[in-house]
Amino acid sequence: MHSLRKRVAFAAALGAACAFLSAADWPTDGGSPQRTGWQEDETVLTKDNVGRLQVLWKLKLDNAPRQMHSLFPPLIIGRVETSSGPKQIALEAGVSDNLYAIDADKGEILWQRHFEYPPPRRNGRATDPLCPGGQTATPFIGSPDANGLRIVYALAGNGDLHQINLANGEEMAPPIPFGYPNGKAYALNMWNHVIFTTTSQGCAGNPNQMWAINLDDPEHQVMTFNPRSGGLWGRQGAAIDSTGTAWAPTGDGVYDLDNQRYGNGLIGARVENGALELKDWYEPTNWAWMQKKDLDMQVTPAMFTYKGRELMVTGSKECRVYLLDTRSAGGENHQTPLVRTPLLCNEEANFASAGIWGSMASWEDAQGTRWVLTPFWGPVHPEFKPPVSYGPVRHGAIVAFKLDEKNGKLQLDPAWMSRDMDQAEPPVIANSVVYAYGSGENTAQAYPDRGLDDSSPLRIKASGHAVLYALDAETGKELYSSGDTIASFAHFTGLSVANGRVYLGTYDSILYCFGLPGH
């Protein structure tokens, strides 16, 4: 009997070790450079057990919120060799120029860094939600080198790019001047040692443009492409296709090809011969109306392969989804998408509290069906009637489409619409489960008594709290809701999923880790 117990214990330990060796990662915002939001390596959480999710730990961090910003999506590396042994690390970035490496199993801080620099100038009003200053770009964790070293690339609020050893928090090289102080950069992305980011809202006088820097260039030349538009404010920055072309939406502005202006569209740029060059673009045919109503294209696309073609999906505040080919976005005239859906929401053309915001998601099921998901804010459009839904939608929802091809033409077939969510945010998918959340934030940007004089204190006071949901990825049926568990709202952040854990940071600088009891 004693020998049997030893063999069982050894088998259990071996199984745990093997699971740890094959641990899943989430090294960048959206899970991958293609920004699919799909965790392909999840095995712990399933449709059958996700209903038992609970808070495994929550950690209050000493990060001071700025305006409505606080914590960004945590990055997860399943196995990191540290001085005290291998650990699963959650890397959390805070807007007040903080980085925290957290033991994901224990919810304890392993190391933390604060980026110090003289206060740069900033523009905008003191209560303006658009330009908070500080670190606003989610970092990127590089692939392991031959020795297993993982480097964190983080962009401080003064525009310096830092390279930090994930295992111990030590700087691996002197900081590199890259961005613009308090310039509101969005999530970093990386392809072949080239780091990309985008900027918006003209914060502190910063141009609205795409940025790139080649880490292999000893001069570290900063390369930019300016579409001469409003901000490039897709929540997850730029998505990168298989050729190294970075795609990002452009904000309000005009489309004027003669003068190289690409407002209200989507641009693709690639580093060639030491410069960031425009390679392709897409412009909706109704861009002028969208500009007039402030319904710009500001959704980070998701990229995937379908029947040998590399495709991408994006959206707009107008509340349509667009399917594009990365090799020819918009066709010969740059204005003809493969698919342009009817309006999903935003019948009233509300510029602040309706439409598609943030980013898209995509995954493929075991039968080879390609799925596309989008969040939206506000009431569903009365003429949009997916075959499966779960009650009235007044505040937002997740919509899932199936990609199909009929008679040689691609189409996005609505499959389901989720239950109502209070400002539905970009979902992630893992093991046939969709994780989504209602942010609970007040998104008003106009007031009867003060017009467009937006105010963080007013919005913070009027905000509620976030709610995490788990849905059946094939039907949209609710499998789990966190209810009133989360205390605060979540502004412009996102979910991360890996190794049986779901993470979300909130405005009050608390990082929540959900998982199964005993795991």
Side-chain angles (χ1 to χ4, degrees):
M1 182 65 70
H2 179 67
S3 176
L4 176 61
R5 283 199 299 267
K6 288 179 65 177
R7 289 198 301 270
V8 171
F10 176 77
L14 181 62
C18 291
F20 194 69
L21 286 170
S22 61
D25 293 339
W26 192 266
T28 182
D29 206 337
S32 69
Q34 295 75 37
R35 306 307 201 209
T36 60
W38 182 20
Q39 174 54 272
E40 299 185 51
D41 299 320
E42 176 59 35
T43 59
V44 177
L45 295 175
T46 69
K47 291 182 184 181
D48 294 331
N49 64 26
V50 75
R52 296 190 289 113
L53 277 179
Q54 65 180 40
V55 176
L56 298 182
W57 52 261
K58 59 180 181 179
L59 185 60
K60 175 71 173 180
L61 301 171
D62 61 356
N63 176 76
R66 292 190 177 191
Q67 306 307 332
M68 299 186 71
H69 296 71
S70 183
L71 302 180
F72 298 96
L75 307 180
I76 315 300
I77 301 299
R79 181 185 176 93
V80 180
E81 295 293 341
T82 73
S83 60
S84 55
K87 295 184 183 297
Q88 180 181 188
I89 292 183
L91 182 81
E92 180 61 82
V95 70
S96 292
D97 283 291
N98 296 307
L99 281 183
Y100 307 88
I102 300 163
D103 184 325
D105 296 318
K106 298 180 180 180
E108 299 175 353
I109 295 176
L110 299 171
W111 58 261
Q112 68 182 85
R113 293 191 66 89
H114 176 70
F115 300 127
E116 294 280 0
Y117 49 83
R121 67 185 181 90
R122 67 183 301 268
N123 68 340
R125 295 170 291 103
T127 61
D128 179 10
L130 297 181
C131 296
Q135 178 183 218
T136 55
T138 307
F140 185 99
I141 300 178
S143 299
D145 67 10
N147 298 315
L149 174 67
R150 305 295 292 255
I151 295 180
V152 177
Y153 300 92
L155 186 61
N158 67 341
D160 282 353
L161 181 68
H162 294 258
Q163 301 174 65
I164 297 169
N165 186 340
L166 178 60
N168 56 27
E170 294 180 357
E171 295 265 8
M172 302 299 295
I176 303 170
F178 177 34
Y180 195 99
N182 280 340
K184 198 178 185 182
Y186 284 80
L188 301 184
N189 208 343
M190 186 173 181
W191 188 83
N192 278 4
H193 292 180
V194 177
I195 297 278
F196 293 88
T197 189
T198 61
T199 51
S200 72
Q201 271 94 39
C203 293
N206 185 16
N208 298 321
Q209 56 192 13
M210 186 184 293
W211 305 64
I213 188 168
N214 188 341
L215 298 174
D216 293 334
D217 174 12
E219 301 297 323
H220 293 136
Q221 175 188 350
V222 177
M223 299 164 282
T224 63
F225 178 79
N226 191 325
R228 303 178 66 192
S229 69
L232 287 70
W233 54 289
R235 184 86 57 84
Q236 295 175 356
I240 304 177
D241 70 20
S242 61
T243 71
T245 301
W247 293 87
T250 60
D252 288 327
V254 302
Y255 178 41
D256 181 356
L257 191 55
D258 290 339
N259 291 293
Q260 297 181 312
R261 303 180 68 179
Y262 303 92
N264 264 299
L266 184 75
I267 60 168
R270 186 170 67 223
V271 172
E272 292 183 349
N273 301 317
L276 187 57
E277 302 283 357
L278 181 70
K279 304 306 296 181
D280 201 357
W281 66 93
Y282 168 70
E283 289 283 344
T285 53
N286 64 336
W287 66 264
W289 182 84
M290 292 172 66
Q291 182 204 15
K292 180 180 179 180
K293 296 292 185 177
D294 190 9
L295 300 176
D296 43 313
M297 303 270 292
Q298 39 66 52
V299 179
T300 299
M303 297 172 178
F304 53 87
T305 300
Y306 180 77
K307 294 185 177 181
R309 301 172 67 179
E310 188 174 34
L311 306 176
M312 59 182 167
V313 285
T314 189
S316 65
K317 283 197 287 182
E318 186 189 14
C319 209
R320 299 184 192 273
V321 173
Y322 308 85
L323 178 69
L324 308 168
D325 192 319
T326 62
R327 298 299 180 270
S328 180
E332 291 185 4
N333 66 353
H334 299 275
Q335 295 190 282
T336 306
L338 298 172
V339 176
R340 174 180 180 265
T341 70
L343 292 173
L344 312 184
C345 65
N346 209 1
E347 181 184 20
E348 298 181 354
N350 184 324
F351 77 97
S353 297
I356 300 172
W357 292 66
S359 57
M360 308 291 290
S362 180
W363 70 290
E364 185 176 273
D365 65 24
Q367 290 71 45
T369 301
R370 172 58 62 173
W371 295 75
V372 166
L373 289 87
T374 184
F376 71 76
W377 291 358
V380 64
H381 195 284
E383 296 182 6
F384 180 64
K385 301 181 186 298
V388 178
S389 59
Y390 298 89
V393 170
R394 300 186 177 91
H395 305 96
I398 304 298
V399 174
F401 299 87
K402 291 183 180 180
L403 179 58
D404 197 6
E405 185 175 11
K406 292 184 179 179
N407 299 320
K409 185 176 181 180
L410 295 174
Q411 58 188 51
L412 289 171
D413 298 326
W416 54 259
M417 180 172 65
S418 75
R419 57 155 293 161
D420 188 52
M421 299 181 186
D422 186 3
Q423 308 305 101
E425 293 292 315
V428 300
I429 310 97
N431 205 13
S432 298
V433 178
V434 169
Y435 299 90
Y437 69 104
S439 70
E441 74 163 293
N442 179 278
T443 57
Q445 296 184 35
Y447 308 83
D449 59 337
R450 54 192 292 155
L452 296 176
D453 184 14
D454 200 1
S455 166
S456 291
L458 288 178
R459 288 175 58 179
I460 292 167
K461 184 178 180 181
S463 294
H465 66 86
V467 179
L468 172 69
Y469 300 96
L471 313 173
D472 185 314
E474 295 178 303
T475 67
K477 179 183 177 181
E478 180 182 321
L479 303 174
Y480 170 81
S481 167
S482 65
D484 295 329
T485 299
I486 300 173
S488 185
F489 66 93
H491 173 76
F492 273 34
T493 181
L495 295 172
S496 306
V497 178
N499 308 309
R501 309 286 175 91
V502 184
Y503 303 84
L504 179 65
T506 49
Y507 170 76
D508 53 2
S509 292
I510 293 178
L511 178 62
Y512 290 81
C513 174
F514 291 83
L516 300 177
H519 285 264

